[in-house]
């Protein structure tokens, strides 16, 4: 371990782009979330937000309850195992589980899956039977209605996610009869990034109500009830995580009414969270490469683009990022913050307030602990991945970088890939 005093010092030592993850902020977010939830609630951490081994390990270790891993790929499973999680603690989710992935997960010891459809449940059962085991499964439910008015809605419409709630009663015998599986609970995830506590509370109350109805339709008691999440945190701009101080008081009476034994663990209550747990732990440091003016508009070019801070850029979003420099407080002017890639889509912020920047200045983008490198276009143009540093109390605990390893494999006529390519690209932490 080594010490540092400023972000500029870290940038000088390790180069930029550089993600800095503060373990003390991870501790604080985890403590807040557990404190605001009903007593005894389990929290699944969604690895899609940030699978960095040090970050994941921090959410497992330390004081207080550990978060459990929620994964959607064998790559995320490998990250969970590397961080010290037991396979039995893992929840494997996602609408596109392939037979190969399911075989690998079951062979590794994963026994809890979220099933998105009857056929998905059957595929899980086939993988379990091949290993001579039985998989515990949650039925993911796509509610026909919802109450949320903020955030990204995940239900209430035709979607690849979940089983339409209105079909459960008719399909119940089929769900319960799939060889190699036992239906042990429900998985309801209806929204993402709900900034309003009242809206989030209303949606979770709706999930509890729906879960009680579906339990009756299935005719079997639930052992695990995952009511989802939607806990909000800012992304790439100044601001604080949302607070939910009234959540416990609102949810517990509903649970008492609908699931009288939930305090005894029947069912075990669970939620899931990604960005809320890790979002404000991260700061992206990037260096100004050039400043230019084109037809009266100023462009600040930095070495971190959508290949570094893509934030699922395939959705076509341009985020209103905010930056600061040390010392802060400099006057600002309108300019566009752009990356180094040779595409006009490499835009981090268009006509945003920026301080007067010069080549060589290091700027910090706050609240970048979620949806950073692994949600970005890392392979585009073959530029190096950003470094990632985990720090605590002024000490650098670790520094790593994802390395791009290009493997060319002759597949032959019978084994060619679906897109006709002759090779595969793999990424690994190095």
């Amino acid at each position: 371990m080594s010490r540092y005093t400023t972000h500029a010092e870290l940038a000088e030592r390790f180069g930029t782009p550089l993600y800095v993850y503060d373990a003390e902020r991870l501790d604080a977010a985890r403590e807040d979330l557990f404190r605001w939830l009903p007593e005894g609630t389990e929290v699944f951490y969604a690895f899609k937000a940030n699978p960095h081994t040090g970050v994941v390990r921090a959410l497992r270790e330390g004081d207080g309850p550990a978060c459990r891993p929620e994964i959607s790929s064998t790559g995320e499973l490998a990250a969970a195992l590397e961080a010290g999680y037991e396979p039995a603690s893992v929840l494997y989710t996602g609408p596109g589980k392939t037979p190969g992935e399911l075989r690998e997960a079951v062979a590794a010891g994963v026994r809890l899956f979220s099933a998105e459809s009857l056929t998905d449940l059957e595929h899980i059962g086939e993988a379990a039977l091949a290993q001579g085991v039985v998989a515990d499964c949650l039925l993911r439910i796509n509610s026909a209605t919802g109450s949320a008015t903020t955030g990204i809605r995940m239900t209430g419409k035709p979607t690849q996610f979940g089983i339409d709630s209105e079909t459960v009663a008719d399909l119940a015998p089929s769900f319960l009869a799939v060889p190699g599986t036992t239906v042990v609970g429900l998985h309801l995830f209806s929204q993402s990034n709900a900034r309003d506590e009242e809206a989030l509370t209303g949606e979770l109350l709706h999930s509890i109500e729906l879960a009680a109805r579906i339990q009756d339709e299935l005719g079997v008691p639930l052992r695990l009830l995952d009511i989802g999440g939607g806990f909000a945190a800012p992304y790439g701009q100044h601001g604080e995580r949302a607070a939910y101080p009234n959540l416990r008081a609102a949810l517990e009476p509903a649970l008492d009414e609908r699931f009288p034994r939930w305090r005894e663990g029947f069912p075990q209550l669970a939620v899931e969270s990604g960005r809320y747990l890790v979002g404000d732990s991260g700061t992206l440091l990037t260096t100004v490469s050039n400043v230019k003016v084109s037809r009266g508009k100023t462009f600040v070019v930095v070495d971190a683009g959508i290949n570094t801070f893509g934030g699922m850029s395939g959705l076509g979003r341009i985020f209103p990022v905010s930056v600061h420099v040390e010392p802060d407080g400099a006057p600002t002017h309108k300019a566009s913050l752009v990356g180094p890639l040779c595409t006009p889509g490499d835009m981090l912020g268009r006509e945003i307030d920026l301080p007067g920047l010069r080549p060589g200045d290091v700027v910090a983008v706050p609240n970048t602990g979620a949806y950073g490198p692994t949600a970005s276009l890392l392979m585009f143009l073959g530029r190096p991945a950003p470094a990632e540093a985990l720090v605590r109390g002024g000490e650098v605990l670790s520094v790593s970088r994802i390395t791009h390893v290009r493997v060319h494999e002759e597949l032959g006529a019978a084994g060619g890939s679906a897109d006709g390519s002759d090779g595969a690209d793999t990424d690994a932490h190095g």
Side-chain angles (χ1 to χ4, degrees), residues 60-362:
R60 181 180 65 84
E61 298 175 343
D63 298 332
C67 296
R68 292 180 62 177
E70 184 262 299
I71 65 169
S72 297
S73 71
T74 52
E76 290 182 344
L77 173 58
L81 299 179
E82 183 181 353
Y85 280 102
E86 294 295 327
S89 69
V90 170
L91 169 61
Y92 202 118
T93 71
K97 310 178 196 73
T98 68
E101 291 168 344
L102 288 171
R103 287 194 299 268
E104 183 175 341
V106 173
V110 178
R111 294 293 181 269
L112 181 62
F113 295 85
S114 173
E116 307 271 358
S117 63
L118 177 58
T119 50
D120 191 28
L121 185 65
E122 291 169 346
H123 296 159
I124 295 167
E126 291 166 2
L129 287 175
Q131 297 286 333
V133 300
V134 175
D136 290 338
C137 294
L138 309 180
L139 300 182
R140 180 166 179 174
I141 304 300
N142 174 18
S143 173
T145 60
S147 63
T149 57
T150 64
I152 302 172
R153 285 216 56 80
M154 305 286 287
T155 59
K157 57 186 178 182
T159 174
Q160 70 268 42
F161 299 108
I163 301 156
D164 294 343
S165 58
E166 64 272 22
T167 68
V168 173
D170 290 339
L171 292 174
S174 299
F175 289 133
L176 300 177
V178 175
T181 70
T182 300
V183 175
V184 300
L186 300 176
H187 176 195
L188 301 101
F189 191 91
S190 58
Q191 65 176 332
S192 177
N193 206 31
R195 294 176 293 278
D196 178 78
E197 182 182 26
E198 183 178 355
L200 176 67
T201 301
E203 195 67 27
L204 296 180
L205 288 171
H206 172 73
S207 294
I208 293 169
E209 187 86 15
L210 177 61
R213 192 198 84 196
I214 291 179
Q215 178 178 243
D216 292 340
E217 293 174 349
L218 289 171
V220 296
L222 304 180
R223 287 164 34 196
L224 178 60
L225 174 57
D226 180 349
I227 59 174
F231 311 101
Y235 179 75
Q237 51 190 307
H238 292 287
E240 302 295 327
R241 286 183 284 109
Y244 304 100
N246 303 307
L247 194 58
R248 175 181 292 192
L251 296 184
E252 288 186 344
L255 289 163
D256 288 336
E257 179 181 358
R258 297 299 180 181
F259 297 96
R261 298 188 62 196
W262 76 272
R263 295 179 188 269
E264 304 168 44
F266 303 103
Q268 171 63 55
L269 183 68
V271 300
E272 57 193 85
S273 177
R275 79 183 74 211
Y276 191 83
L277 289 167
V278 299
D280 76 346
S281 73
T283 302
L284 171 61
L285 304 182
T286 179
T287 301
V288 177
S289 301
N290 193 19
V291 179
K292 64 164 291 186
V293 177
S294 174
R295 296 189 172 120
K297 301 291 186 180
T298 300
F299 293 84
V300 177
V301 186
V302 294
D303 60 8
I306 56 176
N307 60 318
T308 298
F309 183 54
M312 300 192 287
S313 54
L315 298 179
R317 302 175 183 173
I318 294 179
F319 296 96
V321 298
S322 54
V323 305
H324 68 267
V325 296
E326 297 171 349
D328 210 348
T332 63
H333 65 282
K334 293 292 183 182
S336 292
L337 190 69
V338 301
L341 307 182
C342 54
T343 168
D346 194 15
M347 177 78 65
L348 299 182
R350 179 177 287 123
E351 288 293 296
I352 60 177
D353 291 322
L354 293 176
L357 296 170
R358 297 177 298 178
D361 285 344
V362 174

Side-chain angles (χ1 to χ4, degrees), residues 373-391:
T374 56
S376 303
L377 304 178
L378 279 179
M379 291 295 289
F380 188 48
L381 289 182
R383 297 181 69 88
E388 299 172 88
L390 181 68
V391 303

